[in-house]
Amino acid sequence: MRFIMRRLGFYLVAFWLSITLNFLLPRLMPGDPVSRMLSRSQGQLDPSQIDSLRRLLGVDERPWWQQYPEYLWRVLTGDLGISISRFPTPVTDVIGTQLPWTLLLGFTSLILAVIIGNLLGIIAAWRRGSFLDSFVPPFLVFLGSFPYFWLAMGLLYVFGIALGWAPLSHAFSVGLEPSFSPVFLSDVAAHLVLPALSIVFVSVGGWMLAMRNTMIGTNSEDYILMAEAKGLHPSRIMFAYSARNAMLPAVTNIGMSIGFIVGGALLTEVVFAYPGVGYQLMAAVQGLDYPLMQGMFLTITGAVLLANFLIDIIYVRLDPRVRVS
Amino acid sequence: MISTRIRGRRLAGVLVAAAAATTLLLSGCTAGDAGDAGGDAASGPLLTIPREDMGTFSQNFNPFSPNAAPMTQQAIYESMIIYNPADGSTTPWLAESWEASDDGLSLTFHLRDGVKWSDGEPFSAKDVATTFGLQQKIVEGSFPYVSKVEAADDATVVFTFSEPFSPGLFEVGQQVIVPDHIWADQENPDKFENETPVGTGPYTEVSKFQAQSFELLPNPEYWQQDKQNLPGVRMLAFAGNDGANLAAINGDVDWAPQFMPDIQKTYVDRDPEHRHYWFPPTGAMINWQLNTTKPMFEDPQVRKALSLAVDREQVVKVGMSGYTEPADCSGLSGSYSTWKDESLLGSCDWIGHDPEKAGEMLDEAGFEAGADGKRTTPDGEPFAFKISVGSTSTDWLSVANIISQDLADIGVTATVDAPDWAAVTAAYEQGTFDTGIVWSDNAPTPYQYYRSLMSSETLKPVGEQTFSNYHRFSDPQADELLDRFSAASDETAQHEIVDQLQALYSEVAPVVPLFPGPEWGAYTDTRFTGWPTEDDPYATLATRSPTTVLVLTSLQPVD
């Protein structure tokens, strides 16, 4: 319990630091939201209206030390304000309509990558020197060194355009109404295949290598030898003795990855016109939309910290050493 | 061991539950928005249009909002008149006719009879008065010359001006009108999201609103039922040109208003019989502006010499993929073709590509070349400067590179400086840049273009933020001509003044005009016909311009 309380205290400090950075960094960028909007409209807006537009959009021109306490208070009370680039839609609405799609895409690809990567890693370490061990990891690392949007575009071209097997864009067919009908769910799944695969292909190599390397270490432990000597079934030794003990680093990685899912897979989402938060985040940064940027960074920070905290708790359970130290 | 297995299963269970919850969340937050779908499948496909710069849509149909959902001002709300830059014509729309008083201080619109809002209420002069009240309340400083808007009777609106301002006709006339019976009671009209809009436009009924797409179905009360021939309009969201282009190439959309590289090969050649594009040069003039507060750009002769050094043919062909045409010395883009003074254009001496003459002019101005072939300013400094352009505008970036090479040929060192647009515009606004590639104002009359480039009203000192006249130039003669233009209500008199403004512009060369921005637009007529073309320029192919409604009311489904 004391351990968890101590961790909790650490997370509170980390949270305060990160929301303060969220507040300061955007304000260090040159320009302000309205002049950004003006330069994007390229002469369509009338310069004489700039000032009132600034007031209309609620661009705060007070010095930062006056805005800061108010900002902290609003964060604590959950009021994220109104988006400037999506005025007058509240930030929570903007994030709320897009986050579920990002989570769906992110979790699907993470779960697939974790399961496939770890299984491959376990088997590769168990059968050292086999085909799986000597040829698959270099190939996956090669695949993983591609920028993932490049892979996304390649998949889109081959399976979407040339072969016509998969839909080209969006999260479900345009014109369908979201429901729990099998038609809609299978349509969502069909639209999910290519974007998720493009992320899985790139990330699976890392999972496999990490698992394989840790497991090689545990394989040489005495208790494995002991288990073998006792005549246990090899698959039981592989999963229950060796893999289980090699799991710890993977759990850490899963925790970190879960946190980052919330930020969205920007380029994958752009390539497949997937309605997630990634593009919105980029647009918010480019348009200096402070409220939206802060809202999104806050969500990401919160998710990263929460995921880490959960992993900490799981660690206590998985690894007795943590409890003692 | 058993416990591990159970834990494993529990973990899997949690994952499945999480996935299910996500799906639930997805449908939960979107299902409520679905409107009446009706039997639109029976009435044929919807006109499908991509929007390339919105990754997702928000259900905001407030026409006063700078970020309203696409088509708010095109298909839902309408204006009193519509100006078409492609042929210079003006179409009476919600107003049947209008007249200005002789002193230019009042403007009267006679509204069309029989127009109804999509909820069945009649459209009247009161709606117009309310709209302008709202616009001036929400964005202070809009229509600064309008002091009063009155409904004289149900069908007549009178605008009283605080000073004569003839270009106001188009600004006032093209403001979209909202219904008084809905908007007058709004406490915060600026924050009103207007999720189910009531408009006079052809397609007002929002349906199937999703983050990635939405549909607008026909207005049941439309005043031109005979022109309302589409089953509806469908907008698709894309987070960039690539996705939108892909949808167009694949034939998923009917109209493609976004930039497409090598459009003939990538788009048209896949179905040459049905696919067409038309890029009229009616966008804003793109200028190369020289910061006239810097001593080296003070002399008009120097600016003209630099202009002569630029190979515009090359700029247009290579930099802009041949999608536009070189500028002429009036600086006016294709949307002002009726205003151009042909006799002036014949005698231009600072626009064509002539590096030799450019070199002579620079020699004369005292910018002579040294032994290494590089020129120096009269003060003995090297004649070197930067050309700023935003790094994301790849087409303008290659334009800047061509200019830089052309200048190197005459011994002038121009380095292309391409940081983020934000940094570039910040330098423009403060007046701290050397030179840069910049857009300009594009309004129905040339008044705004010349005003933003030559008027002392728009001139701000270096260090003070400004949003036009970045190059900081003014001319007293221009001030006088501009004042006369805004006071002139007679079109012949206006043309005469614009002739003089062109002559002045050509004499002082406030900026170096490069090329008019093309208005991108491509379409396929497999599902709908009646598109505007070069031979029938009743509108441009833009989807965000006042003329868009003209296209929406001209298209016919193919049987």
Side-chain angles (χ1 to χ4, degrees), chain B residues 175-191:
Chain B
Q175 165 73 39
V176 295
I177 308 298
V178 299
D180 170 77
H181 64 278
I182 305 231
W183 287 79
D185 307 330
Q186 290 300 328
E187 263 177 50
N188 287 316
D190 53 331
K191 298 207 170 81

mmCIF file with all atom_site columns, all heavy atoms in Angstrom, chain B residues 175-191:
data_model
loop_
_atom_site.group_PDB
_atom_site.id
_atom_site.type_symbol
_atom_site.label_atom_id
_atom_site.label_alt_id
_atom_site.label_comp_id
_atom_site.label_asym_id
_atom_site.label_entity_id
_atom_site.label_seq_id
_atom_site.pdbx_PDB_ins_code
_atom_site.Cartn_x
_atom_site.Cartn_y
_atom_site.Cartn_z
_atom_site.occupancy
_atom_site.B_iso_or_equiv
_atom_site.pdbx_formal_charge
_atom_site.auth_seq_id
_atom_site.auth_comp_id
_atom_site.auth_asym_id
_atom_site.auth_atom_id
_atom_site.pdbx_PDB_model_num
ATOM 1   N N   . GLN B 1 175 ? -23.720 38.589 -48.521 1.00 0.00 ? 175 GLN B N   1
ATOM 2   C CA  . GLN B 1 175 ? -23.858 38.077 -47.156 1.00 0.00 ? 175 GLN B CA  1
ATOM 3   C C   . GLN B 1 175 ? -25.028 37.086 -47.135 1.00 0.00 ? 175 GLN B C   1
ATOM 4   O O   . GLN B 1 175 ? -26.120 37.406 -47.605 1.00 0.00 ? 175 GLN B O   1
ATOM 5   C CB  . GLN B 1 175 ? -24.134 39.256 -46.213 1.00 0.00 ? 175 GLN B CB  1
ATOM 6   C CG  . GLN B 1 175 ? -24.651 38.867 -44.848 1.00 0.00 ? 175 GLN B CG  1
ATOM 7   C CD  . GLN B 1 175 ? -23.564 38.250 -43.967 1.00 0.00 ? 175 GLN B CD  1
ATOM 8   O OE1 . GLN B 1 175 ? -22.424 38.684 -43.972 1.00 0.00 ? 175 GLN B OE1 1
ATOM 9   N NE2 . GLN B 1 175 ? -23.929 37.228 -43.223 1.00 0.00 ? 175 GLN B NE2 1
ATOM 10  N N   . VAL B 1 176 ? -24.812 35.882 -46.593 1.00 0.00 ? 176 VAL B N   1
ATOM 11  C CA  . VAL B 1 176 ? -25.932 34.938 -46.553 1.00 0.00 ? 176 VAL B CA  1
ATOM 12  C C   . VAL B 1 176 ? -26.909 35.356 -45.450 1.00 0.00 ? 176 VAL B C   1
ATOM 13  O O   . VAL B 1 176 ? -26.514 35.889 -44.421 1.00 0.00 ? 176 VAL B O   1
ATOM 14  C CB  . VAL B 1 176 ? -25.472 33.480 -46.337 1.00 0.00 ? 176 VAL B CB  1
ATOM 15  C CG1 . VAL B 1 176 ? -24.667 33.000 -47.514 1.00 0.00 ? 176 VAL B CG1 1
ATOM 16  C CG2 . VAL B 1 176 ? -24.719 33.322 -45.044 1.00 0.00 ? 176 VAL B CG2 1
ATOM 17  N N   . ILE B 1 177 ? -28.195 35.119 -45.707 1.00 0.00 ? 177 ILE B N   1
ATOM 18  C CA  . ILE B 1 177 ? -29.260 35.614 -44.833 1.00 0.00 ? 177 ILE B CA  1
ATOM 19  C C   . ILE B 1 177 ? -29.799 34.472 -43.966 1.00 0.00 ? 177 ILE B C   1
ATOM 20  O O   . ILE B 1 177 ? -30.025 33.366 -44.456 1.00 0.00 ? 177 ILE B O   1
ATOM 21  C CB  . ILE B 1 177 ? -30.418 36.194 -45.681 1.00 0.00 ? 177 ILE B CB  1
ATOM 22  C CG1 . ILE B 1 177 ? -29.885 37.215 -46.696 1.00 0.00 ? 177 ILE B CG1 1
ATOM 23  C CG2 . ILE B 1 177 ? -31.474 36.827 -44.794 1.00 0.00 ? 177 ILE B CG2 1
ATOM 24  C CD1 . ILE B 1 177 ? -29.211 38.423 -46.096 1.00 0.00 ? 177 ILE B CD1 1
ATOM 25  N N   . VAL B 1 178 ? -29.982 34.759 -42.658 1.00 0.00 ? 178 VAL B N   1
ATOM 26  C CA  . VAL B 1 178 ? -30.530 33.758 -41.736 1.00 0.00 ? 178 VAL B CA  1
ATOM 27  C C   . VAL B 1 178 ? -31.939 34.190 -41.302 1.00 0.00 ? 178 VAL B C   1
ATOM 28  O O   . VAL B 1 178 ? -32.277 35.370 -41.384 1.00 0.00 ? 178 VAL B O   1
ATOM 29  C CB  . VAL B 1 178 ? -29.629 33.584 -40.487 1.00 0.00 ? 178 VAL B CB  1
ATOM 30  C CG1 . VAL B 1 178 ? -28.249 33.120 -40.889 1.00 0.00 ? 178 VAL B CG1 1
ATOM 31  C CG2 . VAL B 1 178 ? -29.562 34.867 -39.685 1.00 0.00 ? 178 VAL B CG2 1
ATOM 32  N N   . PRO B 1 179 ? -32.777 33.246 -40.880 1.00 0.00 ? 179 PRO B N   1
ATOM 33  C CA  . PRO B 1 179 ? -34.160 33.577 -40.515 1.00 0.00 ? 179 PRO B CA  1
ATOM 34  C C   . PRO B 1 179 ? -34.260 34.307 -39.180 1.00 0.00 ? 179 PRO B C   1
ATOM 35  O O   . PRO B 1 179 ? -33.701 33.857 -38.176 1.00 0.00 ? 179 PRO B O   1
ATOM 36  C CB  . PRO B 1 179 ? -34.850 32.212 -40.439 1.00 0.00 ? 179 PRO B CB  1
ATOM 37  C CG  . PRO B 1 179 ? -33.765 31.238 -40.179 1.00 0.00 ? 179 PRO B CG  1
ATOM 38  C CD  . PRO B 1 179 ? -32.522 31.786 -40.816 1.00 0.00 ? 179 PRO B CD  1
ATOM 39  N N   . ASP B 1 180 ? -34.999 35.399 -39.203 1.00 0.00 ? 180 ASP B N   1
ATOM 40  C CA  . ASP B 1 180 ? -35.221 36.198 -37.988 1.00 0.00 ? 180 ASP B CA  1
ATOM 41  C C   . ASP B 1 180 ? -35.921 35.373 -36.915 1.00 0.00 ? 180 ASP B C   1
ATOM 42  O O   . ASP B 1 180 ? -35.580 35.442 -35.739 1.00 0.00 ? 180 ASP B O   1
ATOM 43  C CB  . ASP B 1 180 ? -36.079 37.416 -38.375 1.00 0.00 ? 180 ASP B CB  1
ATOM 44  C CG  . ASP B 1 180 ? -36.575 38.176 -37.161 1.00 0.00 ? 180 ASP B CG  1
ATOM 45  O OD1 . ASP B 1 180 ? -35.758 38.906 -36.585 1.00 0.00 ? 180 ASP B OD1 1
ATOM 46  O OD2 . ASP B 1 180 ? -37.753 37.994 -36.784 1.00 0.00 ? 180 ASP B OD2 1
ATOM 47  N N   . HIS B 1 181 ? -36.896 34.528 -37.318 1.00 0.00 ? 181 HIS B N   1
ATOM 48  C CA  . HIS B 1 181 ? -37.714 33.840 -36.311 1.00 0.00 ? 181 HIS B CA  1
ATOM 49  C C   . HIS B 1 181 ? -36.919 32.787 -35.549 1.00 0.00 ? 181 HIS B C   1
ATOM 50  O O   . HIS B 1 181 ? -37.396 32.254 -34.567 1.00 0.00 ? 181 HIS B O   1
ATOM 51  C CB  . HIS B 1 181 ? -38.979 33.247 -36.936 1.00 0.00 ? 181 HIS B CB  1
ATOM 52  C CG  . HIS B 1 181 ? -38.744 32.178 -37.958 1.00 0.00 ? 181 HIS B CG  1
ATOM 53  N ND1 . HIS B 1 181 ? -38.439 32.441 -39.270 1.00 0.00 ? 181 HIS B ND1 1
ATOM 54  C CD2 . HIS B 1 181 ? -38.778 30.832 -37.868 1.00 0.00 ? 181 HIS B CD2 1
ATOM 55  C CE1 . HIS B 1 181 ? -38.300 31.307 -39.940 1.00 0.00 ? 181 HIS B CE1 1
ATOM 56  N NE2 . HIS B 1 181 ? -38.490 30.308 -39.111 1.00 0.00 ? 181 HIS B NE2 1
ATOM 57  N N   . ILE B 1 182 ? -35.718 32.444 -36.002 1.00 0.00 ? 182 ILE B N   1
ATOM 58  C CA  . ILE B 1 182 ? -34.884 31.504 -35.258 1.00 0.00 ? 182 ILE B CA  1
ATOM 59  C C   . ILE B 1 182 ? -33.742 32.215 -34.554 1.00 0.00 ? 182 ILE B C   1
ATOM 60  O O   . ILE B 1 182 ? -33.406 31.931 -33.411 1.00 0.00 ? 182 ILE B O   1
ATOM 61  C CB  . ILE B 1 182 ? -34.301 30.446 -36.216 1.00 0.00 ? 182 ILE B CB  1
ATOM 62  C CG1 . ILE B 1 182 ? -35.439 29.783 -36.952 1.00 0.00 ? 182 ILE B CG1 1
ATOM 63  C CG2 . ILE B 1 182 ? -33.341 29.508 -35.479 1.00 0.00 ? 182 ILE B CG2 1
ATOM 64  C CD1 . ILE B 1 182 ? -35.497 28.323 -36.959 1.00 0.00 ? 182 ILE B CD1 1
ATOM 65  N N   . TRP B 1 183 ? -33.160 33.185 -35.252 1.00 0.00 ? 183 TRP B N   1
ATOM 66  C CA  . TRP B 1 183 ? -31.932 33.780 -34.750 1.00 0.00 ? 183 TRP B CA  1
ATOM 67  C C   . TRP B 1 183 ? -32.153 34.967 -33.826 1.00 0.00 ? 183 TRP B C   1
ATOM 68  O O   . TRP B 1 183 ? -31.280 35.290 -33.026 1.00 0.00 ? 183 TRP B O   1
ATOM 69  C CB  . TRP B 1 183 ? -31.039 34.190 -35.921 1.00 0.00 ? 183 TRP B CB  1
ATOM 70  C CG  . TRP B 1 183 ? -30.424 33.009 -36.591 1.00 0.00 ? 183 TRP B CG  1
ATOM 71  C CD1 . TRP B 1 183 ? -31.024 32.174 -37.489 1.00 0.00 ? 183 TRP B CD1 1
ATOM 72  C CD2 . TRP B 1 183 ? -29.115 32.485 -36.373 1.00 0.00 ? 183 TRP B CD2 1
ATOM 73  N NE1 . TRP B 1 183 ? -30.160 31.180 -37.855 1.00 0.00 ? 183 TRP B NE1 1
ATOM 74  C CE2 . TRP B 1 183 ? -28.984 31.347 -37.194 1.00 0.00 ? 183 TRP B CE2 1
ATOM 75  C CE3 . TRP B 1 183 ? -28.038 32.874 -35.579 1.00 0.00 ? 183 TRP B CE3 1
ATOM 76  C CZ2 . TRP B 1 183 ? -27.817 30.587 -37.232 1.00 0.00 ? 183 TRP B CZ2 1
ATOM 77  C CZ3 . TRP B 1 183 ? -26.876 32.121 -35.627 1.00 0.00 ? 183 TRP B CZ3 1
ATOM 78  C CH2 . TRP B 1 183 ? -26.782 30.986 -36.450 1.00 0.00 ? 183 TRP B CH2 1
ATOM 79  N N   . ALA B 1 184 ? -33.286 35.643 -33.953 1.00 0.00 ? 184 ALA B N   1
ATOM 80  C CA  . ALA B 1 184 ? -33.484 36.853 -33.157 1.00 0.00 ? 184 ALA B CA  1
ATOM 81  C C   . ALA B 1 184 ? -33.479 36.534 -31.661 1.00 0.00 ? 184 ALA B C   1
ATOM 82  O O   . ALA B 1 184 ? -33.072 37.359 -30.843 1.00 0.00 ? 184 ALA B O   1
ATOM 83  C CB  . ALA B 1 184 ? -34.797 37.522 -33.550 1.00 0.00 ? 184 ALA B CB  1
ATOM 84  N N   . ASP B 1 185 ? -33.918 35.309 -31.306 1.00 0.00 ? 185 ASP B N   1
ATOM 85  C CA  . ASP B 1 185 ? -34.006 34.972 -29.881 1.00 0.00 ? 185 ASP B CA  1
ATOM 86  C C   . ASP B 1 185 ? -32.731 34.345 -29.331 1.00 0.00 ? 185 ASP B C   1
ATOM 87  O O   . ASP B 1 185 ? -32.689 33.988 -28.148 1.00 0.00 ? 185 ASP B O   1
ATOM 88  C CB  . ASP B 1 185 ? -35.159 33.973 -29.636 1.00 0.00 ? 185 ASP B CB  1
ATOM 89  C CG  . ASP B 1 185 ? -36.459 34.485 -30.216 1.00 0.00 ? 185 ASP B CG  1
ATOM 90  O OD1 . ASP B 1 185 ? -36.602 35.718 -30.263 1.00 0.00 ? 185 ASP B OD1 1
ATOM 91  O OD2 . ASP B 1 185 ? -37.300 33.668 -30.623 1.00 0.00 ? 185 ASP B OD2 1
ATOM 92  N N   . GLN B 1 186 ? -31.730 34.151 -30.153 1.00 0.00 ? 186 GLN B N   1
ATOM 93  C CA  . GLN B 1 186 ? -30.509 33.505 -29.669 1.00 0.00 ? 186 GLN B CA  1
ATOM 94  C C   . GLN B 1 186 ? -29.758 34.441 -28.731 1.00 0.00 ? 186 GLN B C   1
ATOM 95  O O   . GLN B 1 186 ? -29.424 35.552 -29.109 1.00 0.00 ? 186 GLN B O   1
ATOM 96  C CB  . GLN B 1 186 ? -29.594 33.129 -30.850 1.00 0.00 ? 186 GLN B CB  1
ATOM 97  C CG  . GLN B 1 186 ? -30.134 32.002 -31.690 1.00 0.00 ? 186 GLN B CG  1
ATOM 98  C CD  . GLN B 1 186 ? -30.327 30.731 -30.904 1.00 0.00 ? 186 GLN B CD  1
ATOM 99  O OE1 . GLN B 1 186 ? -29.587 30.457 -29.974 1.00 0.00 ? 186 GLN B OE1 1
ATOM 100 N NE2 . GLN B 1 186 ? -31.341 29.969 -31.264 1.00 0.00 ? 186 GLN B NE2 1
ATOM 101 N N   . GLU B 1 187 ? -29.499 33.944 -27.531 1.00 0.00 ? 187 GLU B N   1
ATOM 102 C CA  . GLU B 1 187 ? -28.771 34.795 -26.595 1.00 0.00 ? 187 GLU B CA  1
ATOM 103 C C   . GLU B 1 187 ? -27.306 34.946 -26.992 1.00 0.00 ? 187 GLU B C   1
ATOM 104 O O   . GLU B 1 187 ? -26.722 36.005 -26.917 1.00 0.00 ? 187 GLU B O   1
ATOM 105 C CB  . GLU B 1 187 ? -28.864 34.201 -25.185 1.00 0.00 ? 187 GLU B CB  1
ATOM 106 C CG  . GLU B 1 187 ? -29.969 34.844 -24.381 1.00 0.00 ? 187 GLU B CG  1
ATOM 107 C CD  . GLU B 1 187 ? -30.081 34.182 -23.027 1.00 0.00 ? 187 GLU B CD  1
ATOM 108 O OE1 . GLU B 1 187 ? -29.054 34.042 -22.364 1.00 0.00 ? 187 GLU B OE1 1
ATOM 109 O OE2 . GLU B 1 187 ? -31.217 33.807 -22.654 1.00 0.00 ? 187 GLU B OE2 1
ATOM 110 N N   . ASN B 1 188 ? -26.707 33.822 -27.398 1.00 0.00 ? 188 ASN B N   1
ATOM 111 C CA  . ASN B 1 188 ? -25.312 33.845 -27.835 1.00 0.00 ? 188 ASN B CA  1
ATOM 112 C C   . ASN B 1 188 ? -25.209 33.361 -29.277 1.00 0.00 ? 188 ASN B C   1
ATOM 113 O O   . ASN B 1 188 ? -24.816 32.237 -29.520 1.00 0.00 ? 188 ASN B O   1
ATOM 114 C CB  . ASN B 1 188 ? -24.446 32.934 -26.951 1.00 0.00 ? 188 ASN B CB  1
ATOM 115 C CG  . ASN B 1 188 ? -24.220 33.519 -25.590 1.00 0.00 ? 188 ASN B CG  1
ATOM 116 O OD1 . ASN B 1 188 ? -23.942 34.705 -25.470 1.00 0.00 ? 188 ASN B OD1 1
ATOM 117 N ND2 . ASN B 1 188 ? -24.361 32.683 -24.581 1.00 0.00 ? 188 ASN B ND2 1
ATOM 118 N N   . PRO B 1 189 ? -25.581 34.223 -30.222 1.00 0.00 ? 189 PRO B N   1
ATOM 119 C CA  . PRO B 1 189 ? -25.607 33.747 -31.620 1.00 0.00 ? 189 PRO B CA  1
ATOM 120 C C   . PRO B 1 189 ? -24.231 33.272 -32.081 1.00 0.00 ? 189 PRO B C   1
ATOM 121 O O   . PRO B 1 189 ? -24.139 32.435 -32.970 1.00 0.00 ? 189 PRO B O   1
ATOM 122 C CB  . PRO B 1 189 ? -26.068 34.964 -32.407 1.00 0.00 ? 189 PRO B CB  1
ATOM 123 C CG  . PRO B 1 189 ? -25.854 36.128 -31.517 1.00 0.00 ? 189 PRO B CG  1
ATOM 124 C CD  . PRO B 1 189 ? -25.964 35.633 -30.118 1.00 0.00 ? 189 PRO B CD  1
ATOM 125 N N   . ASP B 1 190 ? -23.165 33.782 -31.452 1.00 0.00 ? 190 ASP B N   1
ATOM 126 C CA  . ASP B 1 190 ? -21.832 33.363 -31.893 1.00 0.00 ? 190 ASP B CA  1
ATOM 127 C C   . ASP B 1 190 ? -21.516 31.951 -31.438 1.00 0.00 ? 190 ASP B C   1
ATOM 128 O O   . ASP B 1 190 ? -20.715 31.270 -32.048 1.00 0.00 ? 190 ASP B O   1
ATOM 129 C CB  . ASP B 1 190 ? -20.775 34.352 -31.400 1.00 0.00 ? 190 ASP B CB  1
ATOM 130 C CG  . ASP B 1 190 ? -20.861 34.573 -29.906 1.00 0.00 ? 190 ASP B CG  1
ATOM 131 O OD1 . ASP B 1 190 ? -21.973 34.451 -29.353 1.00 0.00 ? 190 ASP B OD1 1
ATOM 132 O OD2 . ASP B 1 190 ? -19.825 34.853 -29.288 1.00 0.00 ? 190 ASP B OD2 1
ATOM 133 N N   . LYS B 1 191 ? -22.166 31.512 -30.351 1.00 0.00 ? 191 LYS B N   1
ATOM 134 C CA  . LYS B 1 191 ? -21.862 30.162 -29.857 1.00 0.00 ? 191 LYS B CA  1
ATOM 135 C C   . LYS B 1 191 ? -22.956 29.161 -30.205 1.00 0.00 ? 191 LYS B C   1
ATOM 136 O O   . LYS B 1 191 ? -22.948 28.035 -29.750 1.00 0.00 ? 191 LYS B O   1
ATOM 137 C CB  . LYS B 1 191 ? -21.664 30.194 -28.339 1.00 0.00 ? 191 LYS B CB  1
ATOM 138 C CG  . LYS B 1 191 ? -20.494 31.075 -27.929 1.00 0.00 ? 191 LYS B CG  1
ATOM 139 C CD  . LYS B 1 191 ? -19.889 30.634 -26.619 1.00 0.00 ? 191 LYS B CD  1
ATOM 140 C CE  . LYS B 1 191 ? -18.596 31.353 -26.326 1.00 0.00 ? 191 LYS B CE  1
ATOM 141 N NZ  . LYS B 1 191 ? -18.786 32.695 -25.764 1.00 0.00 ? 191 LYS B NZ  1
#
